[in-house]
Amino acid sequence: MTEKQGLYDPAYEHDACGMGFVAHIHGVRSRDVVDKSLELLRNLSHRSAVAADACTGDGAGILLQVPHAFLRRVCGPLGISLPDAGSYGVGTLFLPSRRADRLICERMVEAAVAGEGCSVLGWRDVPVDDSVLSGPTRRARPAMRQIFVAQMGVGQMGVGREVDTSSSFEISLYVIRRRIEAALREIPGSDCYVASFSSRTLVYKGMLRPDQLARFYEDLRDPDLASAIALVHSRFSTNTFPSWRLAHPYRFLCHNGEINTLRGNLSWMRVREAIMSSARFGGRLAALLPVCGENQSDSASLDNALELLTLAGRPLAHAMAMLIPEAWEGHTTMSPERRAFYEYHASLMEPWDGPAAVAFTDGRQVAAVLDRNGLRPARYVVTSDDLVVLASEAGAVAIPVENVRAKGRLEPGKMLVVNTTQGRILDDEALKTELASVRPYGRWVAEQRINLAELVAKNGANELQLRDERDARGQLQVARSETEHDDRTLSLQLLQRAFGYTADELKMVLGPMADAGEEPAGSMGNDTPLAVLSRRPQLLSSYFRQLFAQVTNPAIDPIREQLVMSLAINLGPQSNLLDETAEHAKQLRIAQPVLTEQAMSAVRGVTDPTLRAVTLPALFPIASGIDALELAVDDLCRAATRAIADGCGILILSDRGISADQAPIPSPLAVAAVHHHLIREGLRWRVSLIAETGEAREVSHLALLVAYGASAVHPYLALETVAAMARPEATGDKPHGAAAQERYVKALGKGLLKIMSKMGISTLQSYCGAQLWEAVGLSTALVDRHFAGTPSRVGGIGMELIAHETLRRHSDAFDTASITTRLDPGGEYQYRVQGEHHNWNPMTIAKLQHATRSDSYSTFKEFSQLANDETRRQSTLRGLLDFVERDPVPLDEVEPASAITRRFCTGAMSFGSLGKEAHETLAIAMNRLGGRSNSGEGGEDPARFGTDRNSAIKQVASARFGVTAEYLVNAAELQIKIAQGAKPGEGGQLPGHKVDAVIARTRHSMPGVTLISPPPHHDIYSIEDLAQLIYDLKAISPAAAISVKLVAEAGVGTVAAGVAKARADLILISGDSGGTGASPLSSIMRAGSPWELGLAETQQTLVINGLRGRVRLQTDGQLKTGRDVVVAALLGADEFGFATAPLIVEGCVMMRKCHLNTCPVGIATQDPELRARFTGQPEHVVNYFFFIAEEVRELMARLGFRTMDEMIGRTDMLRALPSSDNAKAATLDLSALLHLATPASRARTDSVARRHVRLRVDHSEEDGGLNGRLVELAQPALERGERVKETLPITNSDRAVGATLSGEIARRYGDTGLPEETISFRFTGSAGQSFGAFAARGLSLELEGEANDYVGKGLSGGRLIVRHPRSAQFIPDQTVLIGNTVLYGATSGEAYFAGVAGERFGVRNSGAIAVVEGVGDHGCEYMTGGTVVVLGRTGRNFGAGMSGGIAFVLDEFGEFEHGGQCNTGMVELAHVTDRGELELLRRLVEQHARYTGSARAKRELGRWERAQRLFVAVVPTEYRKALERRADADAATAARRGLVIGEIGSARHG
Amino acid sequence: MADPKGFLTLRRAIPGRQAVEDRVRHWREFYGPVPEAAVRTQAARCMDCGVPFCQGDSGCPVRNIIPEWNGLVQRGEWREALESLQATNNFPELTGRLCPAPCESACVLGLVNEPVAIRHVEQTIADRGFAEGWVVPRPPRRNSGFKVAVVGSGPAGLAAAQQLRRAGHTVVVFEKNERVGGLLRYGIPEFKLEKSVLDLRLTQLEAEGVRFRTGIDVGEDITAQELRAEFDAVCVATGAGAARDLDVPGRPLEGVHLAMDFLTSQNRRLAGDAFTETVSDARDRRVVIIGGGDTGSDCAGTCVRQGARSVRQFELLPQPPAGRAPTTPWPLWPMQLRTSHAHEEGCDREWSVATTAFSGEDGRVQRIHAARLERQVFADGHTDYARLPGTDFELEADLVLLAMGFTGPVKSRLLVDLAVQLDGRGSIATDGAHRTSVPGVFAAGDAHRGASLIVWAIREGRDAADSIDSWLRAG
């Protein structure tokens, strides 16, 4: 592995993969199982990746039962005589290739074996074939050896006898391995790794491609190699450095996914180690710790945890159910016993949260589990010869359909266990019932657990009385004199000032939260300085930025998918993880972490001694000089230790006592310092932390406290502020204090869920301590001590300056002679001349407009002087950089401006966020310049295609608005928006009242119907999914460059490396400061990091990986001037994006009101009256970009560059400016930013540029050629409209079948396509992912067999028919047929599926018609149009976020209507009574029967009278109202029928 | 904002002026009363901009947080609005009456519609504050022990004094006239600012502990040395009283006066103080005012009220365009034709006119001689206005008022003795923090800035007070 350097840190690396297992139910070992698993692995090759050299694999591996017969045979000649199966252990070791080093390691290993009372039977060289490896891989290849170990006495006798082959020997082997690993830690740089060490399982793995695995390991080709269980895994990682150990499987598991909460899980595991004990391990426990090693992958850590829990005695499945529990908190129909099981275990451990499909085994049982969200696919088959095959994709192992006994898919949170010793398969229900009945978990919880809500209710009477008194008091005060009113205001204000509250915050943040119960939205990004560059005192929280998920795991929608979310958390000490007793449940449960005053008094009132709460003041004396804060923090930590020694279960860190002499310790510091101190002391398990603080008020403040260890927060001053603001006399009809507080707390809760879900985290318990923040501007010393593990890459301020800022606030409150009655204006959210600095201010805005409108370069220079001067006030990182001067070149030798403007783009702003005029003006200007404008995510009017108003870049975002075949083929660049700077990790919402007829048309929806953009792309939950989407887009639009938009955060570089390996042509790194039409304020201000950091990290990572030459790099985020462009180029950017500045050129005056549709200059509005005021001209925009290009040229001449290419990545031409008058800025260290990276491997870099793109890399996919063949076959239809009909075989590696042909159709005929059934293809087999993606009108694809995920993605008018083979032995309408996320973003067309679909069927469908016989969870999510008929069961959360279209569900058992399967947040349920609707239904079912031959459909048609009564119609309320508006009120239902029928008609005859 | 689109539906309205024939018969302010609801409606037109240009470089010099109090007024929270306004502006009742409102010409709504009636809202808040008794003294919580002298009691001096007192210092304001107020009291006609308004504010200052010593000409009655000895710091806010004169034949004739002498005389008369009769009376006279600015306009209004036979105003520059000139795009202060109330009241304006001489008999002026000007480009490329041959004309005039602006502070004994350095324009030179070349001596207002707006004087006074406070605390 390459070491940490510059901004690159290997710790950020991610991986994902394909995985699966093959097992014989009765444990019959065979070569066949191994063969099938290797076949499975090979057929998942497209889910793995290769490095820049196109040869080095990211990793592949296999885990088998110890193949006794084989090993005995090969060991014999080596003089190793193996005892009976099970009575010896095999270790697979990766050893140093240098013999001397290897011997050291081997002697150490042997010593460890002896130390555990075992003997070494012998060593074996694992035979390998190096010739399959690429150069770098070969050079990095370790020596592979197996060691054979027996219990003392067994081996020597050389005869087999019955020994205890059960767990005790396995534990010995575990202890040996841990001792080896511990010893290895003592040998620095030792290149030794234990892949497996067990009497039951054996691992072969390495830095290999799936097809290389068996070619490399000769053992895997041996006919005698037999196993009843085989786990396989192919890896797709973001890095490319030879690392053999990172391949899966680990000792117990292989994992497709990512543990988002890893940092917290590891911390809490460390915490619990202090109280671990187990009779099984006895005194050897110490040798097992730490449970999880540092610097290893999330999967390896999960493996460690599973291993510990299992070997300590918990059944395998039980242990996994603790680590990855299903979503039980919001599950309404779960059995009480099962709920109790989870509830009990929540006291023991927080979930390891994140996308996961895990296959795991102890060599006897083999199992698989899916995370609570079902974010990874897992399909399985049970054969009639007792094999179970489970894999990331269906069809990965060819099994004749006659042999298939049953098929299925793993559902969210569900587990499947094959017990080979008992010879049975346990499904989730059976398994969990069994687990839940082992102990009386329910009774334990009931007897031990204290519920805070109950306590508060118990105090009810007192409570009410208290409130009455308070209210009475309040009124009294109102009635009394003005002076008293003043005094009260003043004392509150004194506190507010001391904690730095501003008028801005009250007006823009707290007020709206208390009024509406939600976090407020804002617009136009953030142009204020970084906290560390601000000259105003900043809260410590402001130095932290939220991390968020991008590409490698998805964000969650906490509103629409609330059922997986939970804010509940337990307070109190923890117990021995390796045991379970009733006392383990003794904790205080709180439903959410924001505690009111009443809740706090209840917490303080808990009498149980183990849960006693102790309050520690978090204050420091102002008079004690600059060390006071540091000393006070140390004191606080010592006080925490003492309090624990005195016995308490809850520590309240409180800044309540501030006074003229005492200032508050910044609350994140107090919490994190105590948290880390107690971890270091091994005491953390004894207490939970509560922060009682006046400082926390924004959502992000709360989240930060929880992320650094607080289980709960009492934001007393914010609560008081909110109550005071709600004074009735001040605000008229607004309700009184308590109600306002309630809404405020609700808003905080929602906001917390949002921040968690951004990172893909579902439960607060897992978020607590997870530290998912990045520090920008804090010193490494401070971070290492108190925020250990947090990335902080440019250094920054330490304790002294933190204390200084706190004291500035304190003195503002306590140390002024003047009685001020106003809070500081703040000016963070709205410009205030006396407030925070903004780069866009009246002066810069006016100058830019004057310059571009009068085409005056000299005025532009005044602007850029100002903007750069502003920058030199050092409010951004680039403002701290200066150029290294060298010999200039004459200006006329520098490449012309027109060569530079080609590198400019405008930002993704949708038609919808912008008005028509503003949007098209940008497109015209950019087309004139040879640059590119961006459609944004709202689709585009087809009338613009092929004209000068066409957007060269078309965006593909999570909602897929208007993403049709025609849209896709009309782009020079297709941009996959993973995240946007203003709100990375979040979705969006265009409220119905803003969706007018034109917007509705371009977004393929209906006027008045709300349009929701989901937080994630539902076809990108991982890096291999992204690769699939890129593949799909290249398939339909081969000429378009594919770009991927990411947002800067710590670790973005490694994500970008993965994206490059996923074959993107262009990567955009957006800064955190970018504009937006609407985003929660805390996201605008506190998520993501500056582009300088993200760009530099990406450049460095790509260069180190040798990937830079393959991909163009673009950056954006408040770029304004030629200087900005030059700095970005020197840091590594090929291209540059601008959004805010061109809008200002168009006339934007930064109202920051885009989200209100009231833009007075007619830019960000659809209102025709306002749009009439638009004064922007393409010429102005052209002027602006030429001005910039000119300025770039001047700088290039000065710096001696003739071409941009020469300049890109030359960080040696930048230097940090000497520190200014800004003491905070002077603490920064930019050396990591300016690190000049070099490729880690010299191989092949001669052909690819090191610093920037030199050649257009051919990224076209090598595939089976099926897509190309379809185009060839369809020529007669394409050219002459003749009918074409063919039958072809298909396999799971044939992906996006039909997309290329659809692109051809769309290019020729647009979305109108061809007449129905002009082209018909019929396939047999298992289709790969994205079958029928973007299928165009006139194309009909029929599949007999099965299909994987993303069937009919973006369906554009075509027809899809999928059915099981006629010869199937299983019940077709109850068997899974197609995968997850089917018809995602479909805009029109028809689909008939005679079988069951996976999760998220029809997600974001806006016009397709589909019939299916069963769907998983989240069916029809975010649907805005079209019709879906489900002839069978649905999963949970059906219709979440569904704002349009209709679904009919055949509810045979009443569970849909009455079982809570449907999310009725936006939809209404009704029986189908309207005659027209019934006719429609019947016709769709008839068509389904006709196309698919569905037995189910025929059966229902045969008893239609009964069937039609069982249908439940799911109709979105808004949609119904829109329909009613559209038609006569009386004819509403007729209209509804008419619409649907009309859609069918157009699908058929269009 | 209750209605985020209020700016689209609501129209700008400002209080109507009393009919000309009525208002010229008295000296009082002449704007009609406006109902509360109407003012709230005007405030509701404010768009609460993300970047309020009214606060920007071309906007309000005292940095009033205009959107904040517009929002408060719109919701009827008048007292809160007053607090907000007073936090940035010591004398909103004065700026509400007298400010030319650069905030309004920078108002974003002005881009697409008529700007918000900011000044009127401001005045209403301030007047209501006094009427409700909300304008209360805010004495400091504790005394610093430092003593500061403020020389001059115009708006800059008063603002500095109030700020310094509130910061806990002992403040003494020196005024050479017998009443406090400087230009506010003596220069601004009563019909633009009733002096009772000023007196109310002075009551607050006195209650806060500001001490006034009137009738003392510092530098003469107290020497600079004495002043320095008694006070820890001195703030010079003596204004820019040196008027620009017109050096043409006939200037010494009786009846040719400086505008400020004329205005002062009228104010003194109304106050019942001693005044110079000959200077103050325009009754039955044919008046020519030279200078097209605000002072000229004030003279015109005064003359009309005094019963002048005719009033005519000469301006050197050509007539500006009716709308915003392209050279001054939004949000800059626009070059454009401005018509004041005085022009409604009967004052003719002549543009591009240069006065060449006065003539008369018996030492009294009877005629004014003038010529037309034209913009010319000279050989070296610079442009200037030059007399157009053959355009000479003359006009009967028996009162001529010179309202041609001010050249800077009067070179008083005080300035000489303090030995502060002056800048190129003859104003008191300071660093960025109002510190003069003499440690402990600060300057604020027109004396430092040159003749400017009242609102700038207030800003200067506040900034100087801040600077003095920091300097004193730093020891």
Side-chain angles (χ1 to χ4, degrees), chain B residues 388-399:
Chain B
L388 209 55
T391 60
D392 294 3
F393 67 99
E394 56 178 68
L395 203 66
E396 294 199 342
D398 37 23
L399 179 62

Side-chain angles (χ1 to χ4, degrees), chain A residues 482 507 730 816-819 821-822 830-834 842-843 846 850 1150-1151 1153 1158 1160 1167 1173, chain B residues 5 7-8 47-53 55 57 63 65 68 77 79-80 83 112 141 166-167 329-330:
Chain A
E482 290 294 350
K507 172 186 164 195
T816 112
S818 148
I819 301 172
T821 55
R822 305 299 294 171
Q830 287 178 311
Y831 174 83
R832 292 288 180 258
V833 68
Q834 48 279 86
M843 190 70 111
H850 297 166
M1150 295 290 284
M1151 291 296 293
K1153 293 275 186 293
T1158 58
D1167 186 326
R1173 297 162 199 260
Chain B
K5 283 169 119 179
F7 68 92
L8 279 178
M47 301 190 290
D48 193 22
C49 300
V51 179
F53 282 72
Q55 272 218 311
D57 317 77
R63 301 160 167 167
I65 309 175
E68 184 174 87
E77 296 175 42
R79 185 165 187 178
E80 285 287 299
E83 298 295 343
V112 295
R141 285 194 264 194
R166 287 177 177 179
W330 177 89

Side-chain angles (χ1 to χ4, degrees), chain A residues 23 65 132 203 504-505 748 974 997 1069 1180 1312 1373 1378 1470 1503:
Chain A
Q65 290 177 319
V132 305
V203 168
D504 211 19
E505 278 180 316
L748 287 175
L974 289 170
I1069 304 292
H1180 305 158
T1312 319
D1373 61 308
I1378 51 178
R1503 49 178 187 192

Side-chain angles (χ1 to χ4, degrees), chain A residues 455-702:
Chain A
L455 277 188
V456 172
K458 218 182 287 174
N459 297 346
N462 292 340
E463 180 58 33
L464 264 173
Q465 201 181 329
L466 252 170
R467 190 180 303 167
D468 283 350
E469 277 169 24
R470 225 191 335 271
D471 278 359
R473 233 180 20 239
Q475 271 153 23
L476 265 183
Q477 270 167 330
V478 172
R480 277 205 211 131
S481 71
E482 290 294 350
T483 5
E484 189 163 317
H485 159 80
D486 270 5
D487 289 350
R488 193 166 60 120
T489 315
L490 283 176
S491 65
L492 178 61
Q493 221 176 66
L494 196 69
L495 284 176
Q496 287 172 337
R497 298 174 85 91
F499 284 106
Y501 281 56
T502 63
D504 211 19
E505 278 180 316
L506 259 55
K507 172 186 164 195
M508 302 294 288
V509 182
L510 293 180
M513 283 169 84
D515 282 350
E518 317 209 329
E519 232 193 310
S523 306
M524 295 306 287
N526 177 13
D527 59 344
T528 59
L530 288 170
V532 70
L533 299 177
S534 168
R535 282 155 202 262
R536 298 165 54 86
Q538 296 288 320
L539 294 178
L540 183 55
S541 314
S542 306
Y543 293 83
F544 287 85
R545 298 303 180 103
Q546 295 165 28
L547 298 179
F548 48 91
Q550 50 186 347
V551 181
T552 59
N553 72 82
I556 306 171
D557 184 335
I559 302 166
R560 266 67 63 167
E561 299 186 7
Q562 201 187 355
L563 77 170
V564 299
M565 307 296 295
S566 169
L567 284 176
I569 195 166
N570 293 337
L571 306 181
Q574 311 209 18
S575 312
N576 177 12
L577 182 65
L578 305 183
D579 192 10
E580 48 183 26
T581 66
E583 283 67 37
H584 279 66
K586 180 171 280 310
Q587 287 184 332
L588 179 62
R589 184 155 185 87
I590 57 176
Q592 53 83 19
V594 187
L595 301 182
T596 59
E597 206 179 317
Q598 297 90 318
M600 277 307 279
S601 61
V603 170
R604 288 191 159 107
V606 171
T607 47
D608 192 302
T610 60
L611 296 176
R612 192 166 61 87
V614 167
T615 304
L616 303 176
L619 302 168
F620 70 99
I622 63 157
S624 306
I626 51 170
D627 294 335
L629 178 60
E630 180 130 37
L631 294 172
V633 170
D634 291 346
D635 280 348
L636 178 64
C637 290
R638 277 194 294 276
T641 306
R642 274 196 309 276
I644 290 170
D646 293 345
C648 72
I650 294 170
L651 280 183
I652 300 170
L653 309 178
S654 176
D655 55 32
R656 269 254 194 217
I658 70 161
S659 64
D661 311 319
Q662 299 274 325
I665 299 176
S667 57
L669 178 61
V671 166
V674 170
H675 176 64
H676 281 287
H677 165 77
L678 293 179
I679 291 176
R680 283 193 293 268
E681 301 272 298
L683 293 170
R684 184 67 180 88
W685 63 276
R686 294 277 302 268
V687 287
S688 287
L689 303 180
I690 296 178
E692 180 175 56
T693 173
E695 185 178 314
R697 49 217 189 239
E698 277 177 25
V699 166
S700 61
H701 299 161
L702 272 286

Side-chain angles (χ1 to χ4, degrees), chain A residues 881-1150:
Chain A
L881 297 174
D882 198 4
F883 301 114
V884 175
E885 302 289 342
R886 59 169 196 177
D887 290 343
V889 296
L891 186 60
D892 56 14
E893 288 178 21
V894 177
E895 63 181 334
S898 59
I900 295 168
T901 56
R902 272 204 292 275
R903 295 171 180 268
F904 295 159
C905 303
T906 50
M909 296 173 281
S910 69
F911 167 60
S913 72
L914 298 188
K916 180 174 189 293
E917 297 76 15
H919 202 264
E920 295 186 358
T921 296
L922 289 180
I924 293 167
M926 294 320 279
N927 286 332
R928 280 189 202 166
L929 286 163
R932 301 189 301 286
S933 69
N934 191 320
S935 66
E937 68 162 317
E940 189 160 296
D941 184 349
R944 291 169 64 176
F945 298 159
T947 72
D948 67 341
R949 294 175 297 140
N950 188 39
S951 302
I953 306 172
K954 302 237 187 302
Q955 210 176 39
V956 177
S958 65
R960 305 287 157 94
F961 293 120
V963 177
T964 66
E966 188 183 5
Y967 173 86
L968 293 172
V969 298
N970 274 288
E973 175 184 331
L974 289 170
Q975 181 177 74
I976 301 171
K977 180 180 85 172
I978 299 293
Q980 72 184 78
K983 48 173 175 178
E986 288 178 54
Q989 186 162 332
L990 191 63
H993 64 86
K994 285 197 197 164
V995 181
D996 65 15
V998 184
I999 290 180
R1001 201 169 60 237
T1002 50
R1003 298 195 177 196
H1004 288 249
S1005 67
M1006 226 177 139
V1009 167
T1010 296
L1011 300 174
I1012 299 170
S1013 298
H1017 288 253
H1018 281 290
D1019 55 357
I1020 310 176
Y1021 296 156
S1022 63
I1023 193 90
E1024 81 267 13
D1025 286 348
L1026 174 68
Q1028 178 62 40
L1029 178 58
I1030 291 173
Y1031 182 95
D1032 298 341
L1033 295 176
K1034 283 178 186 293
I1036 184 165
S1037 193
I1042 309 295
S1043 75
V1044 175
K1045 178 175 179 179
L1046 304 173
V1047 170
E1049 67 174 325
V1052 72
T1054 50
V1055 172
V1059 172
K1061 288 166 75 178
R1063 295 171 183 275
D1065 301 287
L1066 171 59
I1067 295 171
L1068 164 56
I1069 304 292
S1070 262
D1072 59 338
S1073 52
T1076 171
S1079 169
L1081 283 176
S1082 77
S1083 306
I1084 294 177
M1085 310 303 283
R1086 315 266 181 252
S1089 55
W1091 62 254
E1092 291 93 328
L1093 280 172
L1095 172 67
E1097 186 195 328
T1098 303
Q1099 170 75 3
Q1100 291 169 19
T1101 308
L1102 292 176
V1103 169
I1104 293 167
N1105 277 282
L1107 290 166
R1108 181 61 180 90
R1110 291 189 9 175
V1111 66
R1112 286 184 281 153
L1113 203 48
Q1114 189 185 114
T1115 199
D1116 69 15
Q1118 300 288 359
L1119 299 182
K1120 293 180 194 68
T1121 65
R1123 182 185 190 274
D1124 290 346
V1125 168
V1126 171
V1127 172
L1130 293 171
L1131 288 175
D1134 296 292
E1135 298 179 0
F1136 315 88
F1138 302 78
T1140 305
L1143 286 189
I1144 285 174
V1145 171
E1146 284 195 315
C1148 165
V1149 284
M1150 295 290 284

